[in-house]
Amino acid sequence: MRRLLLSLAFALCAAPAFAQGTEEEPQAAPGSIAIGMIEEANAIGIFDIVHNGQVSVRHLRSGLRCDFNRNGDGGRIIIFAPPAPPVNTPPTAEPAIPRGDDVACDMVESGVQLRYFATRYPFGSTLEEQIAAVETAIRRRNPNAAPYPGATTRAPEDGLPLRRSTRFIVTHDGARQFTRASVARIGDWIIKLRYTAPAPDDAAAAAADAHADLAFDAALRDIIDQR
Protein backbone atom coordinates (compact mmCIF):
# COMPACT_ATOMS: atom_id res chain seq x y z
CA MET A 1 0.00 0.00 0.00
CA ARG A 2 2.82 2.41 0.89
CA ARG A 3 4.47 1.72 -2.48
CA LEU A 4 1.16 2.40 -4.28
CA LEU A 5 0.68 5.73 -2.46
CA LEU A 6 4.22 6.79 -3.34
CA SER A 7 3.61 5.92 -7.01
CA LEU A 8 0.39 7.93 -7.07
CA ALA A 9 2.09 10.90 -5.44
CA PHE A 10 4.90 10.85 -8.01
CA ALA A 11 2.40 10.65 -10.87
CA LEU A 12 0.40 13.61 -9.54
CA CYS A 13 3.55 15.71 -9.11
CA ALA A 14 4.78 14.90 -12.60
CA ALA A 15 1.48 15.49 -14.39
CA PRO A 16 1.55 19.35 -14.42
CA ALA A 17 4.84 19.34 -16.32
CA PHE A 18 3.15 17.63 -19.25
CA ALA A 19 0.01 19.74 -18.92
CA GLN A 20 2.06 22.95 -19.10
CA GLY A 21 3.88 21.79 -22.22
CA THR A 22 7.40 21.90 -20.83
CA GLU A 23 8.53 19.33 -23.37
CA GLU A 24 9.89 20.91 -26.56
CA GLU A 25 7.61 20.79 -29.56
CA PRO A 26 9.01 18.76 -32.44
CA GLN A 27 10.61 20.94 -35.12
CA ALA A 28 9.62 20.56 -38.76
CA ALA A 29 12.37 19.18 -40.99
CA PRO A 30 14.20 21.83 -43.05
CA GLY A 31 13.17 20.11 -46.29
CA SER A 32 9.50 20.22 -45.29
CA ILE A 33 9.75 23.92 -44.48
CA ALA A 34 11.40 24.59 -47.85
CA ILE A 35 8.69 22.65 -49.70
CA GLY A 36 6.04 24.64 -47.84
CA MET A 37 7.68 27.92 -48.90
CA ILE A 38 7.74 26.79 -52.54
CA GLU A 39 4.08 25.78 -52.41
CA GLU A 40 3.07 29.03 -50.70
CA ALA A 41 4.71 31.01 -53.52
CA ASN A 42 3.08 28.80 -56.17
CA ALA A 43 6.62 28.12 -57.37
CA ILE A 44 6.56 24.36 -57.98
CA GLY A 45 8.69 23.67 -61.04
CA ILE A 46 10.36 27.07 -60.70
CA PHE A 47 12.15 26.45 -57.39
CA ASP A 48 13.24 23.17 -55.85
CA ILE A 49 14.62 22.27 -52.45
CA VAL A 50 18.35 21.88 -51.85
CA HIS A 51 19.16 18.82 -49.74
CA ASN A 52 21.86 20.35 -47.54
CA GLY A 53 20.27 20.07 -44.10
CA GLN A 54 19.14 23.70 -44.20
CA VAL A 55 16.03 25.53 -45.35
CA SER A 56 17.41 26.09 -48.83
CA VAL A 57 15.85 26.34 -52.27
CA ARG A 58 17.24 26.84 -55.75
CA HIS A 59 15.80 28.71 -58.71
CA LEU A 60 16.04 26.05 -61.40
CA ARG A 61 16.48 28.34 -64.40
CA SER A 62 19.16 30.72 -63.10
CA GLY A 63 20.75 28.50 -60.45
CA LEU A 64 20.31 31.09 -57.68
CA ARG A 65 20.29 29.40 -54.26
CA CYS A 66 18.53 30.94 -51.28
CA ASP A 67 19.34 29.90 -47.71
CA PHE A 68 16.70 30.88 -45.15
CA ASN A 69 16.65 30.78 -41.36
CA ARG A 70 16.39 27.32 -39.80
CA ASN A 71 12.64 27.64 -39.31
CA GLY A 72 12.02 29.76 -42.40
CA ASP A 73 10.84 32.75 -40.33
CA GLY A 74 11.22 36.09 -42.06
CA GLY A 75 11.77 34.47 -45.44
CA ARG A 76 9.71 34.11 -48.59
CA ILE A 77 9.99 33.27 -52.27
CA ILE A 78 8.60 35.83 -54.72
CA ILE A 79 7.53 35.14 -58.30
CA PHE A 80 6.91 38.46 -60.01
CA ALA A 81 3.91 38.32 -62.28
CA PRO A 82 4.49 39.40 -65.89
CA PRO A 83 2.93 42.83 -66.48
CA ALA A 84 -0.26 42.82 -68.46
CA PRO A 85 0.25 44.29 -71.95
CA PRO A 86 -1.46 47.65 -72.52
CA VAL A 87 -4.59 47.76 -74.61
CA ASN A 88 -3.88 47.93 -78.35
CA THR A 89 -0.22 47.02 -77.82
CA PRO A 90 1.62 47.33 -81.14
CA PRO A 91 3.25 44.15 -82.47
CA THR A 92 6.72 45.71 -82.15
CA ALA A 93 6.40 46.21 -78.37
CA GLU A 94 8.97 44.52 -76.13
CA PRO A 95 7.84 41.04 -74.99
CA ALA A 96 6.83 40.49 -71.39
CA ILE A 97 9.05 38.52 -69.03
CA PRO A 98 7.72 34.94 -68.74
CA ARG A 99 6.55 33.81 -65.32
CA GLY A 100 9.50 32.31 -63.50
CA ASP A 101 12.07 34.47 -65.27
CA ASP A 102 11.76 37.25 -62.67
CA VAL A 103 12.05 35.96 -59.11
CA ALA A 104 13.39 36.93 -55.71
CA CYS A 105 14.13 35.52 -52.27
CA ASP A 106 13.45 37.79 -49.31
CA MET A 107 14.96 37.15 -45.88
CA VAL A 108 15.64 38.92 -42.60
CA GLU A 109 18.59 37.94 -40.42
CA SER A 110 19.22 39.76 -37.12
CA GLY A 111 17.63 42.95 -38.40
CA VAL A 112 19.39 42.76 -41.77
CA GLN A 113 17.15 42.47 -44.84
CA LEU A 114 18.47 40.71 -47.92
CA ARG A 115 16.61 40.27 -51.17
CA TYR A 116 18.20 38.32 -54.00
CA PHE A 117 16.82 38.71 -57.52
CA ALA A 118 17.30 36.62 -60.66
CA THR A 119 15.84 38.08 -63.86
CA ARG A 120 16.15 37.13 -67.50
CA TYR A 121 15.09 40.03 -69.71
CA PRO A 122 13.86 39.06 -73.19
CA PHE A 123 14.92 42.51 -74.41
CA GLY A 124 18.30 42.66 -72.66
CA SER A 125 19.48 44.99 -69.92
CA THR A 126 22.86 46.39 -68.90
CA LEU A 127 24.30 46.62 -65.40
CA GLU A 128 24.35 50.40 -65.77
CA GLU A 129 20.61 50.43 -66.48
CA GLN A 130 19.97 48.20 -63.48
CA ILE A 131 21.98 50.37 -61.09
CA ALA A 132 20.37 53.57 -62.41
CA ALA A 133 16.90 52.09 -61.86
CA VAL A 134 17.74 51.06 -58.29
CA GLU A 135 19.20 54.47 -57.47
CA THR A 136 16.06 56.15 -58.77
CA ALA A 137 13.86 53.87 -56.65
CA ILE A 138 15.93 54.45 -53.49
CA ARG A 139 15.92 58.24 -53.93
CA ARG A 140 12.19 58.25 -54.64
CA ARG A 141 11.50 56.26 -51.47
CA ASN A 142 14.05 58.19 -49.41
CA PRO A 143 14.37 61.81 -50.62
CA ASN A 144 17.14 62.46 -48.07
CA ALA A 145 19.23 59.44 -49.11
CA ALA A 146 22.93 60.31 -48.91
CA PRO A 147 25.44 58.47 -51.12
CA TYR A 148 27.83 56.27 -49.16
CA PRO A 149 31.40 55.92 -50.49
CA GLY A 150 32.53 52.63 -51.94
CA ALA A 151 33.70 50.93 -55.12
CA THR A 152 31.06 51.25 -57.83
CA THR A 153 32.70 48.57 -60.00
CA ARG A 154 34.54 45.38 -59.11
CA ALA A 155 36.46 43.77 -61.95
CA PRO A 156 36.27 40.02 -62.62
CA GLU A 157 39.76 39.33 -61.28
CA ASP A 158 38.60 36.72 -58.75
CA GLY A 159 36.82 34.41 -61.18
CA LEU A 160 33.50 36.16 -60.65
CA PRO A 161 31.75 38.38 -63.20
CA LEU A 162 31.87 42.17 -63.31
CA ARG A 163 29.86 43.66 -60.43
CA ARG A 164 28.30 47.09 -60.08
CA SER A 165 27.12 48.51 -56.74
CA THR A 166 25.52 51.62 -55.32
CA ARG A 167 25.29 52.58 -51.62
CA PHE A 168 23.30 55.02 -49.52
CA ILE A 169 22.64 56.05 -45.93
CA VAL A 170 18.90 56.46 -45.34
CA THR A 171 16.63 57.10 -42.38
CA HIS A 172 13.65 54.84 -41.78
CA ASP A 173 11.29 55.41 -38.84
CA GLY A 174 13.95 57.62 -37.28
CA ALA A 175 16.67 54.96 -37.52
CA ARG A 176 19.82 55.37 -39.60
CA GLN A 177 20.32 52.55 -42.11
CA PHE A 178 22.84 51.46 -44.71
CA THR A 179 21.30 50.25 -47.96
CA ARG A 180 22.91 49.12 -51.17
CA ALA A 181 22.28 47.26 -54.40
CA SER A 182 24.71 45.09 -56.35
CA VAL A 183 24.20 43.58 -59.79
CA ALA A 184 26.07 41.14 -62.01
CA ARG A 185 25.35 39.11 -65.12
CA ILE A 186 25.78 35.35 -65.39
CA GLY A 187 24.84 34.08 -68.82
CA ASP A 188 21.41 35.46 -69.70
CA TRP A 189 20.60 36.28 -66.09
CA ILE A 190 20.87 39.51 -64.13
CA ILE A 191 21.58 38.64 -60.49
CA LYS A 192 20.94 41.38 -57.94
CA LEU A 193 21.20 41.81 -54.18
CA ARG A 194 19.39 44.49 -52.19
CA TYR A 195 20.91 44.73 -48.73
CA THR A 196 19.72 46.93 -45.87
CA ALA A 197 21.10 46.95 -42.32
CA PRO A 198 21.01 49.16 -39.22
CA ALA A 199 23.89 51.67 -39.31
CA PRO A 200 23.89 53.88 -36.21
CA ASP A 201 27.44 54.97 -37.07
CA ASP A 202 29.98 54.77 -39.90
CA ALA A 203 31.67 51.71 -38.40
CA ALA A 204 28.38 49.78 -38.56
CA ALA A 205 27.85 50.95 -42.15
CA ALA A 206 31.34 49.79 -43.15
CA ALA A 207 30.74 46.39 -41.54
CA ALA A 208 27.41 46.07 -43.36
CA ASP A 209 29.06 46.98 -46.66
CA ALA A 210 31.73 44.31 -46.18
CA HIS A 211 29.11 41.69 -45.28
CA ALA A 212 27.06 42.58 -48.37
CA ASP A 213 30.13 42.01 -50.54
CA LEU A 214 30.64 38.57 -49.01
CA ALA A 215 26.96 37.65 -49.38
CA PHE A 216 26.78 38.71 -53.03
CA ASP A 217 30.06 37.06 -53.98
CA ALA A 218 28.98 33.80 -52.30
CA ALA A 219 25.70 33.78 -54.24
CA LEU A 220 27.48 34.37 -57.55
CA ARG A 221 30.14 31.74 -56.84
CA ASP A 222 27.49 29.15 -55.97
CA ILE A 223 25.65 29.76 -59.26
CA ILE A 224 28.87 29.40 -61.23
CA ASP A 225 30.03 26.31 -59.34
CA GLN A 226 26.78 24.39 -59.68
CA ARG A 227 26.69 25.07 -63.41
Side-chain angles (χ1 to χ4, degrees):
M1 176 64 71
R2 186 170 181 272
R3 181 179 299 174
L4 176 60
L5 291 174
L6 288 173
S7 299
L8 288 172
F10 176 78
L12 290 172
C13 290
F18 293 98
Q20 294 171 10
T22 56
E23 290 190 344
E24 292 185 3
E25 295 293 331
Q27 295 275 333
S32 298
I33 296 173
I35 290 173
M37 296 177 73
I38 292 172
E39 291 176 344
E40 184 176 358
N42 192 21
I44 296 174
I46 297 174
F47 280 83
D48 199 1
I49 66 171
V50 178
H51 297 280
N52 59 358
Q54 304 179 50
V55 181
S56 297
V57 301
R58 190 180 297 280
H59 180 234
L60 297 173
R61 300 178 193 176
S62 70
L64 174 67
R65 190 185 82 197
C66 304
D67 300 323
F68 299 97
N69 290 334
R70 179 74 183 179
N71 55 10
D73 286 351
R76 60 177 177 145
I77 297 167
I78 305 170
I79 310 293
F80 295 105
V87 178
N88 300 323
T89 302
T92 57
E94 294 175 341
I97 300 175
R99 186 176 189 276
D101 275 13
D102 190 11
V103 304
C105 294
D106 201 31
M107 57 199 74
V108 178
E109 301 174 358
S110 302
V112 178
Q113 182 177 21
L114 301 92
R115 179 176 286 190
Y116 293 91
F117 299 80
T119 309
R120 178 163 55 185
Y121 293 93
F123 44 83
S125 179
T126 67
L127 301 187
E128 291 75 16
E129 290 171 341
Q130 291 293 316
I131 284 295
V134 172
E135 288 182 346
T136 299
I138 291 174
R139 292 182 183 278
R140 183 182 299 120
R141 193 177 300 114
N142 306 276
N144 296 321
Y148 183 84
T152 58
T153 303
R154 294 174 64 201
E157 299 173 350
D158 50 6
L160 296 177
L162 179 71
R163 285 141 287 171
R164 295 290 305 271
S165 297
T166 187
R167 304 164 176 82
F168 292 91
I169 296 295
V170 300
T171 302
H172 182 69
D173 291 338
R176 186 176 186 262
Q177 293 182 328
F178 168 84
T179 188
R180 80 174 238 178
S182 297
V183 297
R185 178 185 295 277
I186 299 180
D188 296 333
W189 292 88
I190 293 289
I191 308 298
K192 182 191 306 178
L193 171 63
R194 280 298 314 275
Y195 182 104
T196 302
D201 51 40
D202 288 343
D209 192 30
H211 184 263
D213 270 335
L214 293 175
F216 192 50
D217 288 358
L220 297 177
R221 187 167 287 110
D222 180 75
I223 294 173
I224 293 171
D225 289 347
Q226 68 89 27
R227 287 191 172 191

